[in-house]
Amino acid sequence: MEVGFLGLGIMGKAMSMNLLMNGFKVTVWNRTLSKCNELVAHGASIGKTPAEVINKCKITIAMLSDPAAALSVVLDKDGVLEQICGDKGYIDMSTVDPETSCRINEAITSKGGRFLEAPVSGSKQPAETGQLVILAAGDKALYEAAIPAFDILGKKSFFLGQVGNGAKMKLVVNMIMGSMMNAFSEGLTLADRSGLNPRDLLDVLDLGAIANPMFKGKGPTMLQNNYSPAFPLKHQQKDMRLALALGDENSVPMPVAAASNEAFKKARSMGLGDMDFSAVFETLKVLKHSS
């Protein structure tokens, strides 16, 4: 099976490499073309533009940083729209707001193409090991055609119906995750300042009802001040902002998420945007130093 892949950031690089290692023919594009070199060394081909990738491949996947990038790749000169047509499918796995996803869907289908949104739950390590959770919505036939690729990229795929539902599900999931990370950071800080060993807290949490892989995986690295990015903080804050907008649209009060978003914004103002989202922990250390 041959697929195109647009966007080789932390997630896109890992996902396209997985496809290559499992026998797929992959044509890749990235705005900075030098990022394609490692994949080419493993057998990938390069498309010089998104349009060139679309022209070559029946199914093309995109994994881009934000709504602006997702729209740009589709709508700009040499973009997806220049070559999309009736026998081609476009799968956007970026995390965007429902409105952006619907706009891309309208643009693709107006040219006769098929569109599927398929954002993922999971960060760098699940992407590398093919353990993502795929949240798809849109063209059901394209979803079924993409199952062989999804089975390599993820441990479970959901088809959620009409375009927009995948984006909504991803924003809800990431809103919960961001809120949990802030509560976790506050708990580690409270344990430390009240004379407890934060590592003991990690052990206690891991044995209780709120044990989860995020606490288990992130806790030790946070205590070591290690914020190597699996999921950059700037993207987590973007997702919190989009989730809050979704809450506004649906008249859902979200005070916990709003407070968490402010913490992520504070972390970005401290220059932590490119670090892992767990670096929000550092905002509490600033408060200690100022007290």
Side-chain angles (χ1 to χ4, degrees):
M1 184 175 180
E2 184 169 3
V3 298
F5 208 104
L6 310 178
L8 301 176
I10 291 173
M11 298 293 288
K13 177 183 173 183
M15 294 163 69
S16 52
M17 186 69 77
N18 249 346
L19 293 171
L20 279 170
M21 295 297 97
N22 283 276
F24 283 71
K25 295 179 180 179
V26 183
T27 298
V28 297
W29 171 87
N30 193 74
R31 204 172 297 276
T32 304
L33 284 176
S34 61
K35 288 191 174 182
C36 300
N37 293 341
E38 183 178 349
L39 290 151
V40 170
H42 286 84
S45 302
I46 293 182
K48 294 181 180 179
T49 66
E52 188 175 309
V53 176
I54 293 288
N55 184 55
K56 183 178 180 182
C57 304
K58 280 200 167 185
I59 295 177
T60 297
I61 295 168
M63 177 57 94
L64 303 159
S65 59
D66 57 28
L71 287 168
S72 174
V73 161
V74 173
L75 302 175
D76 285 359
K77 186 178 184 299
D78 297 321
V80 169
L81 275 195
E82 292 193 8
Q83 291 294 330
I84 201 76
C85 56
D87 65 339
K88 296 183 182 294
Y90 184 64
I91 303 173
D92 192 349
M93 303 187 79
S94 318
T95 299
V96 300
D97 55 283
E99 291 75 19
T100 295
S101 200
C102 289
R103 184 177 173 189
I104 293 171
N105 176 57
E106 290 169 4
I108 296 294
T109 55
S110 72
K111 293 282 190 174
R114 296 181 294 160
F115 177 71
L116 189 74
E117 61 171 356
V120 300
S121 180
S123 56
K124 182 180 179 182
Q125 185 176 8
E128 291 173 340
T129 57
Q131 293 296 299
L132 298 168
V133 178
I134 297 167
L135 308 170
D139 190 296
K140 185 66 178 292
L142 180 54
Y143 172 77
E144 292 171 350
I147 286 293
F150 288 168
D151 285 347
I152 297 300
L153 299 174
K155 60 183 177 182
K156 177 73 175 177
S157 299
F158 292 87
F159 183 77
L160 301 173
Q162 66 183 11
V163 170
N165 287 349
K168 292 173 186 175
M169 183 68 80
K170 177 60 188 294
L171 292 178
V172 171
V173 169
N174 276 20
M175 178 272 293
I176 295 170
M177 181 173 73
S179 299
M180 287 174 61
M181 177 53 73
N182 274 280
F184 185 45
S185 297
E186 290 176 7
L188 289 172
T189 303
L190 179 59
D192 181 47
R193 304 240 189 118
S194 61
L196 299 172
N197 186 335
R199 289 175 175 78
D200 289 341
L201 173 62
L202 295 183
D203 291 339
V204 171
L205 291 174
D206 196 44
L207 293 170
I210 58 170
N212 67 77
M214 185 176 78
F215 291 176
K216 188 178 183 69
K218 297 293 186 185
T221 58
M222 290 164 69
L223 294 180
Q224 295 166 7
N225 304 316
N226 177 2
Y227 306 113
S228 177
F231 181 42
L233 186 144
K234 62 185 178 184
H235 295 330
Q236 174 67 68
Q237 192 271 313
K238 175 260 297 182
D239 294 348
M240 298 300 290
R241 173 174 55 82
L242 296 177
L244 287 166
L246 184 63
D248 286 345
E249 292 167 19
N250 291 277
S251 301
V252 177
M254 296 164 60
V256 174
S260 295
N261 185 47
E262 292 302 315
F264 285 118
K265 285 162 63 177
K266 173 67 174 176
R268 291 190 71 175
S269 76
M270 292 166 58
L272 304 175
D274 290 324
M275 295 186 179
D276 191 73
F277 79 111
S278 57
V280 73
F281 187 36
E282 292 294 312
T283 62
L284 297 165
K285 298 179 183 179
V286 170
L287 293 175
K288 177 181 180 180
H289 295 150
S290 63
S291 62

